[in-house]
Amino acid sequence: MTLSELEQALFACWPRRYSASWDNVGLQAGDPSAPVRRALVSLDVTDAVADEAARLGADCIISHHPLLFTPLRSVLAGGPGGLVYRLVRSGVGVISMHTNLDSAPGGLADRFALQFLPSVTGVFGAEPDRPDVFYGRMGGIPPVPLSALLDSVRARLGGPLRYAGDPARTVSVLALLCGAGRDYIDEAARLGADAYITADLGYHAFQRAVELGLAVVDAGHYQTEQCAPVLLAEAVRRAAPAVEIIASAQADVIRFHA
């Protein structure tokens, strides 16, 4: 399978039309006609991931977060665009599936939500001008104290949690959104959620949630999206069983000082 054919196989799973207008998904670098024999799946494309690809002999990196978000003015070794230069020169192609993987049916939003919900019964967080594209999921759970929900989130996702809300309050309707979900706090509350699990919340976002009576849990960007490489690997195994898939050893770079 070529790099271009692999890109199209992934778009068959998560069509481009589900991506945000500001996003850059699909083939990011490489020769579209180059064969893919070994692929490294990762959340990001970083220098460390490029090192890993070189060490393992991968000819393709398949990532969730794109290598390129904005146009480059130059591509220079050791300078602007240096990572792109390095990957292209070494013959390592890059394919990224980002907000289309997030929002498409059966994608990351659904996989993440079903770690906590018996079933998804609602959606929220619409993409502007695309009425069928939603980044958030909602559903009911057996009523539990917020403290028990926090324990469940920590057990499933790992990592420390930040939250706002009374640990003793009962929650039974959850809203969930992978990655940065601060823009949808009001909508989650309006739709009747008791608690909202997301990431990348700032001080004022926590305040707003408290004002609205919404318990909110910041579980971390990496933690809420760490199953993206799993979905990518599953899709490649179905579409191209001859391609060897290697899971990146990438870990969250954020640390907490106790």
Side-chain angles (χ1 to χ4, degrees):
M1 177 171 279
T2 66
L3 202 56
S4 178
E5 289 169 340
L6 183 54
E7 176 199 40
Q8 293 309 307
L10 293 172
F11 274 140
C13 298
W14 309 294
R16 187 188 292 271
R17 71 180 185 86
Y18 284 98
S19 63
S21 56
W22 49 262
D23 203 2
N24 182 33
V25 300
L27 185 56
Q28 308 270 298
D31 178 356
S33 65
V36 178
R37 300 180 181 87
R38 177 177 292 176
L40 180 69
V41 292
S42 67
L43 192 62
D44 301 287
V45 186
T46 63
D47 282 311
V49 172
D51 290 342
E52 196 176 8
R55 185 175 67 254
L56 296 170
D59 42 33
C60 176
I61 297 171
I62 305 172
S63 70
H64 181 45
H65 296 140
L67 170 65
L68 298 169
F69 268 117
T70 56
L72 291 171
R73 292 183 179 273
S74 60
V75 178
L76 305 174
L83 179 56
V84 177
Y85 175 87
R86 174 187 177 186
L87 290 166
V88 170
R89 186 174 183 185
S90 62
V92 177
V94 178
I95 301 171
S96 302
M97 296 284 133
H98 190 211
T99 49
N100 56 322
L101 173 59
D102 287 334
S103 62
L108 184 57
D110 286 329
R111 179 68 64 93
F112 178 65
L114 292 176
Q115 292 183 76
F116 302 97
L117 302 175
S119 63
V120 172
T121 58
V123 294
F124 69 101
E127 169 67 13
D129 303 322
R130 299 182 190 178
D132 61 339
V133 177
F134 296 89
Y135 298 114
R137 301 292 189 266
M138 294 184 66
I141 60 170
V144 295
L146 175 60
S147 60
L149 176 64
L150 293 170
D151 290 341
S152 176
V153 174
R154 179 67 182 270
R156 285 177 168 82
L157 303 183
L161 306 176
R162 298 188 302 150
Y163 75 97
D166 180 357
R169 71 171 290 185
T170 298
V171 296
S172 60
V173 180
L174 302 185
L176 306 99
L177 193 148
C178 300
R182 61 185 176 275
D183 293 337
Y184 304 106
I185 287 174
D186 285 61
E187 185 177 5
R190 186 176 71 250
L191 292 173
D194 299 315
Y196 179 29
I197 304 170
T198 187
D200 293 357
L201 299 180
Y203 176 73
H204 296 293
F206 281 105
Q207 285 188 320
R208 180 60 178 165
V210 169
E211 291 170 358
L212 294 171
L214 176 68
V216 65
V217 182
D218 185 330
H221 198 118
Y222 174 87
Q223 286 74 19
T224 60
E225 294 191 338
Q226 61 187 314
C227 58
V230 176
L231 284 168
L232 294 169
E234 290 173 354
V236 176
R237 289 190 182 102
R238 289 193 301 269
V243 174
E244 182 184 357
I245 298 297
I246 305 171
S248 171
Q250 178 192 3
D252 192 4
V253 299
I254 298 173
R255 297 291 182 266
F256 293 84
H257 181 65

